[in-house]
Amino acid sequence: MDRKEQRQIIEKNKELLERYPILTPSVYFHGGMDYDYTYTELDFVCIGWQKMFLEMCDEIQSHLKEVGVPFQEFWFYDIKEKWGGLRVQAGGYSDDAIESLLSDAETRSLLFCPHCGKPTKYVTHGYVLYLCEDCFKEAKLNGELLTADDAPVFREWSYDKEGKVTTSVKPSRYDADFRSQWNGKKEG
């Protein structure tokens, strides 16, 4: 990265933190370090989830303002993808409303592809991924997903007229073997 690109990132991050101060990396609040604006906590969120994550940040900041808590008393300390969904851990001030916002964001993340943000249609077993149709097809073409008969089952997601998620399961031998082990008996 050249200096011009680095300056552009720093300026973009300054603008972002002006609107979302809770995205300031927590190490700078508590580590006594000077912040150089080279990254924010948003950089740890998958691209497809960033819009939803920023909406959650708006709600958290509104709540903090409403209850009179300074933004510096709330911080994110772990943001990652786990089991196909967003996982967010925060420190400092917390209450039921904030816990609910964090939990809702984690649940909603399963409805959006982490790569592009389109609605998810497939979920894989093994390394769990919730993917839209396009990213699923691309991953299969690139050999990133198993496709043999005994590969992990893929669940296909669809949406009814009201926008509610419906799921259909495409069973495989793997799925039948797993169910039989779970039930403690062998299925035919």
Side-chain angles (χ1 to χ4, degrees), residues 112-148:
F112 300 99
C113 179
H115 303 297
C116 66
K118 292 179 186 172
T120 57
K121 187 163 174 142
Y122 298 94
V123 60
T124 64
H125 280 260
Y127 185 84
V128 178
L129 291 171
Y130 290 79
L131 300 171
C132 69
E133 188 160 3
D134 293 338
C135 291
F136 177 80
K137 286 177 182 175
E138 185 178 331
K140 271 180 87 170
L141 284 174
N142 293 335
E144 296 168 13
L145 299 175
L146 300 172
T147 55

Coordinates of all heavy atoms in Angstrom, one line a residue, residues 112-148:
F112 N -28.1 -13.0 5.7 CA -27.3 -12.3 4.6 C -26.0 -13.0 4.4 O -25.3 -13.4 5.3 CB -27.1 -10.9 5.1 CG -28.3 -10.1 5.4 CD1 -28.8 -9.9 6.6 CD2 -29.0 -9.6 4.3 CE1 -29.9 -9.2 6.9 CE2 -30.2 -8.9 4.6 CZ -30.7 -8.7 5.8
C113 N -25.7 -13.1 3.1 CA -24.4 -13.7 2.7 C -23.2 -12.9 3.2 O -23.2 -11.6 3.0 CB -24.3 -13.8 1.2 SG -22.8 -14.5 0.5
P114 N -22.3 -13.5 3.9 CA -21.2 -12.7 4.4 C -20.3 -12.1 3.3 O -19.6 -11.1 3.6 CB -20.4 -13.7 5.3 CG -20.7 -15.0 4.8 CD -22.1 -14.9 4.2
H115 N -20.3 -12.6 2.1 CA -19.5 -12.2 1.1 C -20.0 -11.0 0.3 O -19.3 -10.1 -0.1 CB -19.2 -13.3 0.1 CG -18.6 -14.5 0.7 ND1 -17.3 -14.5 1.3 CD2 -19.0 -15.8 0.9 CE1 -17.1 -15.7 1.8 NE2 -18.1 -16.5 1.6
C116 N -21.4 -11.0 0.1 CA -21.9 -9.9 -0.7 C -23.2 -9.2 -0.1 O -23.6 -8.2 -0.6 CB -22.3 -10.5 -2.1 SG -23.6 -11.7 -2.0
G117 N -23.8 -9.8 0.9 CA -24.9 -9.2 1.6 C -26.3 -9.5 1.0 O -27.3 -9.1 1.5
K118 N -26.3 -10.3 -0.1 CA -27.6 -10.8 -0.6 C -28.2 -11.8 0.4 O -27.5 -12.4 1.2 CB -27.3 -11.5 -2.0 CG -26.9 -10.6 -3.1 CD -26.7 -11.4 -4.3 CE -26.1 -10.5 -5.4 NZ -25.8 -11.4 -6.6
P119 N -29.5 -12.0 0.2 CA -30.2 -13.0 1.1 C -29.6 -14.4 0.9 O -29.3 -14.8 -0.2 CB -31.6 -13.0 0.6 CG -31.8 -11.6 0.0 CD -30.5 -11.3 -0.6
T120 N -29.4 -15.1 2.1 CA -28.9 -16.4 2.0 C -29.9 -17.4 1.5 O -31.1 -17.2 1.7 CB -28.4 -16.9 3.4 OG1 -29.5 -16.9 4.3 CG2 -27.2 -16.1 3.9
K121 N -29.4 -18.4 0.8 CA -30.2 -19.4 0.3 C -29.7 -20.8 0.7 O -30.5 -21.8 0.8 CB -30.3 -19.3 -1.2 CG -31.3 -20.3 -1.8 CD -31.7 -19.9 -3.2 CE -32.6 -20.9 -3.8 NZ -33.6 -20.4 -4.6
Y122 N -28.5 -21.0 1.0 CA -27.9 -22.3 1.3 C -27.1 -22.2 2.6 O -26.5 -21.1 2.9 CB -26.9 -22.7 0.2 CG -27.6 -23.0 -1.1 CD1 -27.6 -22.0 -2.1 CD2 -28.2 -24.2 -1.4 CE1 -28.2 -22.2 -3.3 CE2 -28.8 -24.4 -2.6 CZ -28.8 -23.4 -3.6 OH -29.4 -23.6 -4.8
V123 N -27.1 -23.3 3.3 CA -26.2 -23.4 4.5 C -25.5 -24.8 4.4 O -26.1 -25.8 4.0 CB -26.9 -23.2 5.8 CG1 -28.0 -24.3 6.0 CG2 -25.9 -23.3 7.0
T124 N -24.2 -24.8 4.6 CA -23.4 -26.0 4.5 C -23.2 -26.6 5.9 O -23.3 -25.9 6.9 CB -22.1 -25.8 3.8 OG1 -21.3 -24.9 4.7 CG2 -22.2 -25.2 2.5
H125 N -22.9 -27.9 5.9 CA -22.5 -28.6 7.1 C -21.0 -28.7 7.1 O -20.3 -28.5 6.0 CB -23.1 -29.9 7.3 CG -24.5 -29.9 7.8 ND1 -24.9 -30.1 9.1 CD2 -25.7 -29.6 7.1 CE1 -26.1 -30.0 9.2 NE2 -26.7 -29.7 8.1
G126 N -20.4 -29.1 8.2 CA -18.9 -29.2 8.2 C -18.4 -27.8 8.6 O -18.7 -27.3 9.7
Y127 N -17.7 -27.1 7.7 CA -17.4 -25.7 8.0 C -18.7 -25.0 7.6 O -19.0 -24.9 6.4 CB -16.2 -25.2 7.1 CG -15.9 -23.8 7.5 CD1 -15.1 -23.5 8.5 CD2 -16.4 -22.7 6.7 CE1 -14.8 -22.2 8.9 CE2 -16.1 -21.4 7.0 CZ -15.3 -21.2 8.1 OH -15.0 -19.9 8.4
V128 N -19.4 -24.5 8.5 CA -20.8 -23.9 8.3 C -20.7 -22.5 7.6 O -19.9 -21.6 8.0 CB -21.6 -23.7 9.6 CG1 -22.9 -23.1 9.3 CG2 -21.7 -25.1 10.3
L129 N -21.3 -22.4 6.5 CA -21.4 -21.2 5.7 C -22.9 -20.9 5.3 O -23.5 -21.9 4.9 CB -20.6 -21.2 4.4 CG -19.1 -21.3 4.6 CD1 -18.4 -21.6 3.2 CD2 -18.6 -20.0 5.1
Y130 N -23.3 -19.7 5.5 CA -24.6 -19.3 4.9 C -24.4 -18.5 3.7 O -23.7 -17.4 3.8 CB -25.4 -18.5 6.0 CG -25.9 -19.3 7.2 CD1 -25.0 -19.7 8.2 CD2 -27.2 -19.8 7.2 CE1 -25.5 -20.5 9.2 CE2 -27.7 -20.5 8.3 CZ -26.8 -20.9 9.3 OH -27.2 -21.6 10.3
L131 N -24.8 -18.9 2.5 CA -24.4 -18.3 1.3 C -25.6 -18.0 0.4 O -26.6 -18.7 0.5 CB -23.5 -19.2 0.5 CG -22.1 -19.6 1.2 CD1 -21.4 -20.6 0.3 CD2 -21.3 -18.3 1.4
C132 N -25.5 -16.9 -0.3 CA -26.5 -16.6 -1.4 C -26.3 -17.6 -2.5 O -25.3 -18.3 -2.6 CB -26.4 -15.2 -1.8 SG -24.9 -14.9 -2.8
E133 N -27.2 -17.6 -3.4 CA -27.1 -18.5 -4.5 C -25.9 -18.3 -5.4 O -25.2 -19.2 -5.8 CB -28.4 -18.4 -5.4 CG -28.4 -19.5 -6.5 CD -29.9 -19.7 -7.0 OE1 -30.8 -19.0 -6.6 OE2 -30.0 -20.6 -7.8
D134 N -25.6 -17.1 -5.7 CA -24.4 -16.8 -6.5 C -23.1 -17.2 -5.8 O -22.2 -17.8 -6.5 CB -24.3 -15.3 -6.8 CG -25.5 -14.8 -7.7 OD1 -26.0 -15.7 -8.5 OD2 -25.8 -13.6 -7.7
C135 N -22.9 -16.8 -4.6 CA -21.7 -17.2 -3.9 C -21.6 -18.7 -3.7 O -20.5 -19.3 -3.7 CB -21.6 -16.5 -2.5 SG -21.3 -14.7 -2.8
F136 N -22.7 -19.4 -3.5 CA -22.7 -20.8 -3.4 C -22.2 -21.5 -4.6 O -21.4 -22.3 -4.6 CB -24.2 -21.3 -3.0 CG -24.3 -22.8 -2.9 CD1 -23.9 -23.5 -1.8 CD2 -24.8 -23.5 -4.0 CE1 -24.0 -24.9 -1.7 CE2 -25.0 -24.9 -3.9 CZ -24.6 -25.6 -2.8
K137 N -22.8 -21.0 -5.8 CA -22.4 -21.5 -7.1 C -20.9 -21.3 -7.3 O -20.2 -22.2 -7.8 CB -23.2 -20.9 -8.2 CG -24.6 -21.5 -8.2 CD -25.5 -20.8 -9.3 CE -26.9 -21.3 -9.3 NZ -27.7 -20.6 -10.3
E138 N -20.4 -20.1 -7.0 CA -19.0 -19.8 -7.2 C -18.1 -20.6 -6.4 O -17.1 -21.1 -6.8 CB -18.8 -18.3 -6.9 CG -17.4 -17.8 -7.2 CD -17.2 -16.4 -6.9 OE1 -18.1 -15.6 -7.0 OE2 -16.0 -16.0 -6.6
A139 N -18.5 -20.9 -5.1 CA -17.7 -21.7 -4.2 C -17.7 -23.2 -4.7 O -16.6 -23.8 -4.7 CB -18.3 -21.7 -2.8
K140 N -18.8 -23.7 -5.3 CA -18.8 -25.0 -5.9 C -17.9 -25.1 -7.1 O -17.1 -26.0 -7.2 CB -20.2 -25.4 -6.2 CG -21.0 -26.1 -5.1 CD -22.4 -26.5 -5.5 CE -22.4 -27.8 -6.2 NZ -23.7 -28.4 -6.4
L141 N -18.0 -24.1 -7.9 CA -17.1 -24.0 -9.2 C -15.7 -24.0 -8.8 O -14.8 -24.6 -9.5 CB -17.5 -22.8 -10.0 CG -18.8 -22.9 -10.8 CD1 -19.1 -21.6 -11.5 CD2 -18.7 -24.1 -11.9
N142 N -15.3 -23.3 -7.8 CA -13.9 -23.2 -7.4 C -13.4 -24.4 -6.5 O -12.3 -24.4 -6.1 CB -13.7 -21.9 -6.6 CG -13.9 -20.6 -7.4 OD1 -13.7 -20.7 -8.6 ND2 -14.2 -19.5 -6.8
G143 N -14.3 -25.3 -6.3 CA -13.9 -26.5 -5.6 C -13.8 -26.3 -4.1 O -13.2 -27.0 -3.4
E144 N -14.5 -25.2 -3.6 CA -14.4 -24.9 -2.2 C -15.4 -25.7 -1.4 O -15.4 -25.7 -0.1 CB -14.6 -23.4 -2.0 CG -13.5 -22.6 -2.6 CD -13.8 -21.1 -2.7 OE1 -14.7 -20.7 -2.0 OE2 -13.1 -20.4 -3.4
L145 N -16.4 -26.3 -2.0 CA -17.5 -27.1 -1.3 C -17.4 -28.5 -1.8 O -17.2 -28.7 -3.0 CB -18.9 -26.5 -1.6 CG -19.1 -25.1 -1.1 CD1 -20.5 -24.6 -1.5 CD2 -19.0 -25.0 0.4
L146 N -17.7 -29.4 -1.0 CA -17.8 -30.8 -1.4 C -19.1 -31.0 -2.2 O -20.1 -30.5 -2.0 CB -17.9 -31.7 -0.1 CG -16.6 -31.6 0.8 CD1 -16.9 -32.4 2.0 CD2 -15.4 -32.1 0.1
T147 N -19.0 -31.9 -3.2 CA -20.1 -32.2 -4.1 C -20.4 -33.6 -4.2 O -21.3 -34.0 -5.0 CB -20.0 -31.5 -5.4 OG1 -18.7 -32.0 -6.0 CG2 -19.9 -30.0 -5.3
A148 N -19.7 -34.5 -3.6 CA -19.9 -36.0 -3.8 C -21.2 -36.3 -3.1 O -21.8 -35.6 -2.3 CB -18.7 -36.7 -3.1

